Amino acid sequence: MSWTREQRDTGFLLAVVTTAVGPHLWRIPLWAAALTLGVLAWRGWLAWRERPLPSRWWLLGIAIAAAACAKLTHGVLVGRVSGLTLVCILLALKLLEMHARRDAFVVFFLGFFLVLTQFLHSQSLWVAGWTLLSVWGLLTALVLAQMPLG
C-alpha cells in the first residue's frame, strides 16, 4: 500500500505530538491521559483509512466534557496541573479539526508550549534531550507543512 503525502505528514505530526505529550501523561489524571491517547489514536486511524474528520459538535462535546471532568478532578480550571490536563486534551482534539494550514500552525505552537511546560516540573538533563528531540520534530513538521504538494 502506498501512503499519500497527507497520510505521511499526519503520521509524522502524530508521532511528534505524542513525543511532546508523552512525559506529561504521568502528571495528568488517568482519564485525561487515556482520552488524549485515544484521540491521538482516533486521528491516526482516520488518516490511515482516509476517513473524514468528525463534526465540530463531537469535538465541542468532548471538549466540554473534558473541561467539566478537569474541574471535578482538580477543583479549578486555572492552575498548573488542570491547565496541563486541558492543554494535552485540547492539543489532541485540535488534530481532529485540522482543515487548513493555519490549524497546523496552532498545533505546532501548542506543541512548543507543551514542551516548555515540562520545565515547570523538572530541569534535568533528560528533559533537555527530550526537548531537543521534540523541538526538532515540531520544526520538521512545520517545514513539511510549508512544502508545496507535488
Side-chain angles (χ1 to χ4, degrees):
M1 176 179 160
S2 178
W3 291 52
T4 64
R5 161 105 188 265
E6 183 177 342
Q7 286 175 313
R8 285 191 314 265
D9 288 353
T10 302
F12 183 73
L13 184 58
L14 282 170
V16 168
V17 167
T18 303
T19 303
V21 168
H24 297 294
L25 294 177
W26 310 111
R27 290 188 178 88
I28 62 177
L30 184 60
W31 65 264
L35 178 61
T36 301
L37 291 175
V39 169
L40 291 173
W42 184 17
R43 180 61 177 109
W45 183 81
L46 290 175
W48 179 48
R49 294 289 187 183
E50 294 182 317
R51 304 270 186 195
L53 297 176
S55 71
R56 285 184 187 235
W57 297 110
W58 277 102
L59 301 176
L60 182 62
I62 294 170
I64 290 172
C69 289
K71 172 75 170 152
L72 288 173
T73 301
H74 302 295
V76 294
L77 284 178
V78 180
R80 187 165 66 170
V81 179
S82 61
L84 180 62
T85 300
L86 287 176
V87 168
C88 288
I89 294 169
L90 294 177
L91 174 60
L93 285 174
K94 187 62 182 171
L95 289 168
L96 283 173
E97 68 163 358
M98 272 193 345
H99 297 290
R101 188 180 292 181
R102 70 167 194 251
D103 295 326
F105 288 137
V106 172
V107 170
F108 300 139
F109 293 123
L110 275 174
F112 286 126
F113 178 76
L114 200 58
V115 169
L116 284 175
T117 60
Q118 177 64 28
F119 288 108
L120 294 174
H121 302 282
S122 173
Q123 293 89 30
S124 63
L125 190 57
W126 79 267
V127 172
W130 168 81
T131 299
L132 287 174
L133 177 69
S134 297
V135 168
W136 172 79
L138 285 166
L139 288 174
T140 303
L142 185 62
V143 169
L144 287 173
Q146 294 295 321
M147 296 178 86
L149 296 174

